[in-house]
C-alpha cells in the first residue's frame, strides 16, 4: 500500500496546487493537472496488477477474488480526494 499511497499523494498535491492557485490558471496547467490525475489512475492500476500477479502464485482464484473485494470495501473510495 505504500507505493499506492505515494502515487496518490503526489497526484493530489499537484491537483491541490491548481485548485488553490491565487493566480489565474492557464489552459496548459489545467491540461497537465488532468494528465497527472489520469496517470495516477494508470499507475495505481499497474501496482494492483503487480500485486495480483504475485498473489496469484500462492492464492486460489476464490481467495484472490475475496481479497480484491475486501480491499475495495476497505478503501471505500479513499483514493478519490481530487
Amino acid at each position: 500500500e505504500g507505493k499506492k499511497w505515494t502515487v496518490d499523494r503526489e497526484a493530489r498535491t499537484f491537483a491541490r496546487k491548481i485548485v488553490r492557485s491565487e493566480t489565474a490558471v492557464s489552459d496548459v496547467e489545467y491540461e497537465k493537472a488532468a494528465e497527472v490525475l489520469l496517470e495516477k489512475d494508470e499507475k495505481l492500476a499497474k501496482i494492483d496488477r503487480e500485486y495480483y500477479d504475485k498473489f496469484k502464485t500462492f492464492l486460489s482464484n476464490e481467495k484472490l477474488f475475496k481479497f480484491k473485494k475486501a480491499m475495495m470495501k476497505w478503501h471505500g473510495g479513499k483514493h478519490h480526494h481530487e
Side-chain angles (χ1 to χ4, degrees), residues 53-67:
D53 290 343
K54 287 179 184 177
F55 292 154
K56 190 172 175 119
T57 64
F58 59 88
L59 292 177
S60 70
N61 289 327
E62 179 184 3
K63 288 182 180 179
L64 279 169
F65 173 77
K66 288 179 178 180
F67 175 76

Side-chain angles (χ1 to χ4, degrees), residues 19-63:
V19 170
R20 294 181 179 170
S21 177
E22 294 183 14
T23 60
V25 178
S26 72
D27 194 50
V28 172
E29 290 171 311
Y30 277 124
E31 180 181 19
K32 177 63 178 169
E35 288 285 332
V36 165
L37 294 175
L38 180 62
E39 289 169 2
K40 174 199 76 149
D41 292 340
E42 293 168 343
K43 288 175 183 177
L44 292 177
K46 183 178 179 186
I47 292 168
D48 281 344
R49 170 53 76 178
E50 289 172 4
Y51 282 115
Y52 177 84
D53 290 343
K54 287 179 184 177
F55 292 154
K56 190 172 175 119
T57 64
F58 59 88
L59 292 177
S60 70
N61 289 327
E62 179 184 3
K63 288 182 180 179

Side-chain angles (χ1 to χ4, degrees), residues 2-14 16 37 40-41 43-44 47 78-82:
K3 287 181 188 179
K4 291 175 79 171
W5 184 85
T6 300
V7 167
D8 185 61
R9 184 173 151 266
E10 289 172 355
R12 285 187 295 115
T13 298
F14 187 86
R16 195 175 301 122
L37 294 175
K40 174 199 76 149
D41 292 340
K43 288 175 183 177
L44 292 177
I47 292 168
K78 78 173 169 183
H79 289 295
H80 301 288
H81 295 134
E82 293 82 43

